[in-house]
Structure formats: structure tokens, C-alpha cells
Amino acid sequence: MVIYRVASAPGKVLMTGGYLILERPNAGIVLSTNARFYAIVKPIHEDVKPESWAWAWTDVKLTSPQLSRESTYKLSMKHLTLQCVSSSESRNPFVENAIQYAVAAGRATLDKNKKDALDKLLLQGLDITILGCNDFYSYRNQIEAHGLPLTPDALAALPPFTSITFNAEESNGGNCKPEVAKTGLGSSAAMTTAVVAALLHYLGVVNLSALSEDPHQQNSMDLDVVHMIAQSAHCIAQGKVGSGFDVSSAVYGSQRYVRFSPKVLSAAQVAVQGMPLEEVIGNILNGEWDHKRTKFSLPPLMTLLLGEPGTGGSSTPSMVGAVKKWQKADPEKSQETWRKLAEANSELEKQLDMLSKLAKEHWDAYKCVIDSCSRLKPEKWMEGVTEPIKEAVVKALLQARDAMLGIRNHMRQMGEAAGIPIEPKSQTQLLDATMNMEGVLLAGVPGAGGFDAIFAVTLGDSSSNVTNAWSSHNVLGLLVREDPQGVSLESGDPRSWEITSGVSSVHIK
């Protein structure tokens, strides 16, 4: 019987901390979602022939059914490097680095007996399939082409793991296929993390089985190994050491995050210049990872919504570059803006924590207020509220709104000063209209901002009203919701699951 392993990792929404999160000690709130990437790992050959032990290379096959892509490689058993033998399309550096780093982690950490078992598994070859939930990709063009309304129902009607069409509009006339249109959920981080987790578990480097029993177990050393290897592979594939919030949330789930010092990955950058990979990974696993994460999720009876305006994407690296240039050109003004933005971020976090506390300690009063506010515009939330606990709940809701308005204001100022559209005018109008609707607590642009997406946090049952209103403004409400779980070990191939909810991003807990 062929043994195979399936792991998944979630996409993310950076609710606060855009730009600031790049520098310690600034924090950001990142929410993991029900949109997940899956990696399926199994052997290519059923057994290992005796003469195979003398082989210097083994086989690796990588398949991405949604992109109709398949690549085959030879993996050096000595140097753990991958050599591409054939590829139907462009290479995937994220998965290639994930494979090399995960195998090197096995060599760096396992004892002699387990290393023999590792080599046997490697000599059977690695057959890796990657699948991303529909939520990671934009299907807006297909929906419009079929004359369907821009609603979540139209998205829900798509089969799970639908084939992805390429953005023909971006074609430059050459033979190369243009970029895939995405929704900004951090697909590369989720994909890298899923592949690393599946491989490390398959190769016996970590044991993620406990996650099946307790999905919210975030403090295992095995998860820490997944995190360190995924961060390293992702950074090398990107060609830079980013803040790492997207990989951290893919591993551990929703959290308050403060980045690690970039120097911890200097060994990985040296590796590119020739240090043996096994040694590099040993250094990384024993390095001083000083990131900070605190468990966080939205308070009860609140729903995260994401909308796709369809006004074209934004390039995060170029926007970050523009902000850094402005910081150098005007250090005094930029520091002042960052200080105010950090204060507003902190205030929002404080009010959301307060709401979670009130829900825990005074559930009935909390639920009553949320139900009432879900049907009212914000200016009417306090009307007729006399009980002190209910007043405290409404006060925290209104202060959270004020903090979000402050965040948006400072982000706009930063964009104007840096000459980039962090919150473009079209988004401002849409967000203002959204925040004035019944039952809407917050609305903003996630992460680095731009034209990619908008998010809202709604109260009670008001979310369908918001997505309907978005549809009338040509905004496609996505099926994405917050799910605080990080990496998960799955019970089987997700393509074989019976999807009963109409949402493709269901996973087994």
C-alpha cells in the first residue's frame, strides 16, 4: 500500500501593521483564513532496488493540476540540490526551495537509523502535488464572461480547485504565459508552508499527528521546525528577507506578530554562495529566532469579509520601496506618521481584546448588543443603551471604529507623501460607504494596500447585506472567512472529499 501524507496551510489577511511590520518592534494583527493550500506527498516507486543505494540522484515530480503544470527533477543525494529535467512551464522556486530545505532538515537533525529510513524514502522518489483553494485566485473574469452576477454564490458554484486561467490582458505578445490573477491571501507563503509541513512529516523529521487531535495546538516544537524551514525557503525563493508574517500565520494561525531579526537568515543567504545545505539548515534551526507571536482572533459573533474590486492589482515590493525612499528623504515627518499609525494600530488591538474579554465575562449582554448593532447604523448603536456592561460593549465597538478610521487616515497620508496609492480614492469611497452600513464595525485595505482587495469586519448576521451592497458597486464578495487554525495534517486527498457547503475551502479538523 502506498503511504502518502497531506498537509495544508492557510492564507492570511494583515488587518493592521501594513509597512510598520517590516521593522521591529512594530506589531501587526494577521488573521489566518479558511482558504488553504494543500500538499500531497507520496513515493514515485513502490520499493527501492538494492543497487539504488549507490545512486547519486533520486527522482522528484511536482504537479500543479490547477495550472496544468508538471515538472520533473533529479535530487542530488549528496548535495541535496535539485536539477530540473523537464518542466511544462516556468519553474516554482518556492516549492523547489521547500523540497531542498525540508530534506536538508532531515539530514541535519535525524540520528543514523532514522537517516537510513530517510534515504530509503528519498530513493523511492518524491511525488508532490500542490492544490490551492479557489479563494486564492481571481475568477472574476470567468464569472463576468458567463454573465453571472458578482456574488459569493457565483463563486460557490465553481468546482473545488478549479483550473486557473491566465491574465490574457497582461500578455506582452510573447509565448510566455502571463501572471495568474490572485486575491492577495499570501498564496506563496501558504504553498511553501504546506509543502514543508507535508515533507517534514512524511520524512519523519516532525510528527504533526497531534494537530489532528487538537487543531489549536500552537506551541509544539515540531511546528517551530516547520516555521523555521518554511521561513527560510520562502525568503530564499523571494530573494529577500521579508517580515515573515505570512509564513508565521500559515504555520500557527491568527496572531499578533512582531518580526524576527533578519540576521537569523544570513546563513541561508550564504548558502546560495556555496555552504553545504545541511550545515546551513543546522545553523538556521539553532539560530536565535526572536519573533514574537501572541494568539489572537476576532471577538465572537464577528465575521471577516473580503471583497475584490476588480480595479487591477498592486505590486507590494514597489510600494514598500516607495515608502522606504520617503522615509530616507523625510525622516522627521515619516517617523511622526509611523508613530501615530503604531498608536492607532495598538488602540484597535486593545479594543478588540476588550471586546473578547467582555464576551467571555458577560456573554448575554455582549450577544444582545452585537445582535442589536448588527441591524443599526453605527451612529445609532448607543441609543437606548443604559446597562453599564452593554454601554461598555458599545463604547469598545465605537472606539475600535475610531481607531480604524485613524489607521486609514495615517495610511492615506503615508501614501500621499510616498507618491503611491495605499488607499486610492476609489477604495476610500467604497470603504466609507461600507463603514456607514448597518452592522459594519470596520473596513480597510489589507496589508500594503492598493487596488487588490478590501476587508470588512461585520457584526452578527449582517455580512450578506454587505456582500449584496458590494455587488451593486461592482465588488465581488469572496468566500473567505477567518479561521484561526494554522498548519493542519489532513486525512486524505482534498479532491476526494465530499463538499457539502458549496465552499471549496473546507478542511478536516
Side-chain angles (χ1 to χ4, degrees):
M1 190 176 84
V2 175
I3 294 173
Y4 67 97
R5 294 286 180 253
V6 185
S8 69
K12 53 70 197 167
V13 173
L14 184 64
M15 195 165 76
T16 71
Y19 299 97
L20 269 71
I21 206 168
L22 291 164
E23 294 180 10
R24 290 172 58 83
N26 298 315
I29 292 174
V30 54
L31 303 178
S32 55
T33 70
N34 58 355
R36 299 182 81 83
F37 247 93
Y38 297 85
I40 304 163
V41 181
K42 61 185 179 183
I44 294 174
H45 315 291
E46 282 197 34
D47 2 329
V48 181
K49 294 171 185 170
E51 65 269 22
S52 301
W53 292 96
W55 290 355
W57 299 84
T58 188
D59 299 314
V60 176
K61 186 170 92 168
L62 172 63
T63 309
S64 176
Q66 288 159 290
L67 295 171
S68 305
R69 287 180 179 174
E70 183 176 299
S71 302
T72 54
Y73 303 87
K74 291 290 183 184
L75 173 70
S76 165
M77 293 292 284
K78 183 179 180 184
H79 302 293
L80 309 182
T81 49
L82 278 176
Q83 188 176 310
C84 188
V85 178
S86 70
S87 179
S88 54
E89 286 294 341
S90 57
R91 308 265 294 268
N92 187 328
F94 294 99
V95 176
E96 289 177 14
N97 279 283
I99 294 166
Q100 292 173 118
Y101 279 47
V103 173
R107 286 278 179 84
T109 59
L110 295 175
D111 60 31
K112 173 76 173 67
N113 291 338
K114 287 185 176 175
K115 272 185 187 169
D116 288 344
L118 170 75
D119 284 345
K120 185 182 175 188
L121 281 171
L122 290 176
L123 288 168
Q124 285 180 269
L126 296 171
D127 185 342
I128 302 166
T129 301
I130 52 172
L131 297 160
C133 283
N134 292 344
D135 310 288
F136 285 100
Y137 304 103
S138 173
Y139 292 94
R140 187 187 173 99
N141 289 344
Q142 290 96 306
I143 290 170
E144 288 180 324
H146 285 91
L148 296 171
L150 286 172
T151 62
D153 288 345
L155 280 176
L158 292 169
F161 312 113
T162 293
S163 293
I164 295 152
T165 55
F166 294 83
N167 247 345
E169 290 171 11
E170 292 178 17
S171 179
N172 54 13
N175 290 325
C176 63
K177 285 186 177 175
E179 187 56 37
V180 169
K182 297 180 184 176
T183 54
L185 292 175
S187 55
S188 64
M191 174 175 62
T192 304
T193 302
V195 172
V196 166
L199 275 171
L200 290 177
H201 186 82
Y202 175 77
L203 297 172
V205 183
V206 300
N207 184 354
L208 301 178
S209 302
L211 290 175
S212 304
E213 294 148 28
D214 180 8
H216 303 294
Q217 181 184 326
Q218 293 188 356
N219 297 313
S220 82
M221 287 176 68
D222 284 337
L223 275 185
D224 294 342
V225 173
V226 173
H227 176 249
M228 289 183 275
I229 300 301
Q231 285 284 15
S232 309
H234 193 253
C235 284
I236 294 304
Q238 277 189 318
K240 66 182 177 67
V241 181
S243 69
F245 77 86
D246 44 5
V247 172
S248 188
S249 64
V251 175
Y252 300 108
S254 295
Q255 62 192 267
R256 176 190 190 269
Y257 177 82
V258 177
R259 71 159 303 153
F260 53 85
S261 299
K263 66 176 188 233
V264 76
L265 284 178
S266 55
Q269 292 168 300
V270 170
V272 182
Q273 300 158 19
M275 186 193 282
L277 196 51
E278 198 174 321
E279 195 180 321
V280 170
I281 294 301
N283 290 342
I284 286 168
L285 291 174
N286 294 313
E288 193 180 326
W289 288 82
D290 54 0
H291 59 289
K292 293 177 184 170
R293 59 179 176 83
T294 313
K295 199 171 175 182
F296 181 93
S297 60
L298 287 176
L301 305 179
M302 293 190 189
T303 303
L304 171 71
L305 296 180
L306 275 182
E308 186 190 349
T311 43
S314 307
S315 167
T316 299
S318 62
M319 289 174 75
V320 169
V323 168
K324 286 184 171 175
K325 192 175 170 185
W326 163 62
Q327 284 178 288
K328 282 181 186 168
D330 194 348
E332 198 176 321
K333 181 77 194 323
S334 63
Q335 238 174 357
E336 175 69 3
T337 303
W338 274 45
R339 184 185 62 76
K340 287 178 179 173
L341 184 53
E343 283 174 3
N345 287 341
S346 182
E347 178 63 18
L348 177 56
E349 185 188 328
K350 178 181 152 189
Q351 297 306 328
L352 292 174
D353 283 341
M354 172 62 73
L355 287 160
S356 291
K357 186 169 179 282
L358 287 165
K360 192 175 181 182
E361 294 173 1
H362 307 280
W363 174 251
D364 290 342
Y366 174 87
K367 183 178 183 301
C368 183
V369 169
I370 298 295
D371 287 347
S372 169
C373 293
S374 71
R375 296 185 292 272
L376 299 171
K377 291 196 172 189
E379 61 268 22
K380 293 187 178 291
W381 287 356
M382 195 58 100
E383 283 183 10
V385 177
T386 53
E387 291 175 39
I389 296 300
K390 290 182 179 179
E391 276 185 359
V393 175
V394 176
K395 191 177 174 187
L397 291 171
L398 292 172
Q399 287 179 336
R401 279 178 64 82
D402 287 345
M404 189 70 216
L405 290 168
I407 291 168
R408 286 180 52 204
N409 185 37
H410 300 312
M411 290 281 269
R412 272 197 307 273
Q413 285 176 6
M414 182 162 61
E416 285 160 13
I420 50 170
I422 292 178
E423 187 184 293
K425 281 186 179 172
S426 59
Q427 303 285 62
T428 297
Q429 291 166 353
L430 184 57
L431 294 172
D432 286 347
T434 302
M435 281 192 76
N436 285 325
M437 289 182 64
E438 291 90 345
V440 175
L441 178 64
L442 313 169
V445 285
F451 294 95
D452 285 351
I454 58 169
F455 76 85
V457 174
T458 62
L459 306 177
D461 298 325
S462 59
S463 54
S464 59
N465 297 336
V466 175
T467 52
N468 289 339
W470 279 354
S471 181
S472 67
H473 286 88
N474 206 32
V475 176
L476 175 59
L478 304 180
L479 298 170
V480 178
R481 298 291 182 266
E482 186 202 8
D483 180 346
Q485 185 184 351
V487 157
S488 174
L489 195 65
E490 305 293 349
S491 62
D493 186 327
R495 290 169 294 185
S496 66
W497 300 342
E498 185 180 354
I499 307 298
T500 56
S501 67
V503 180
S504 63
S505 47
V506 172
H507 66 279
I508 295 172
K509 293 188 178 178

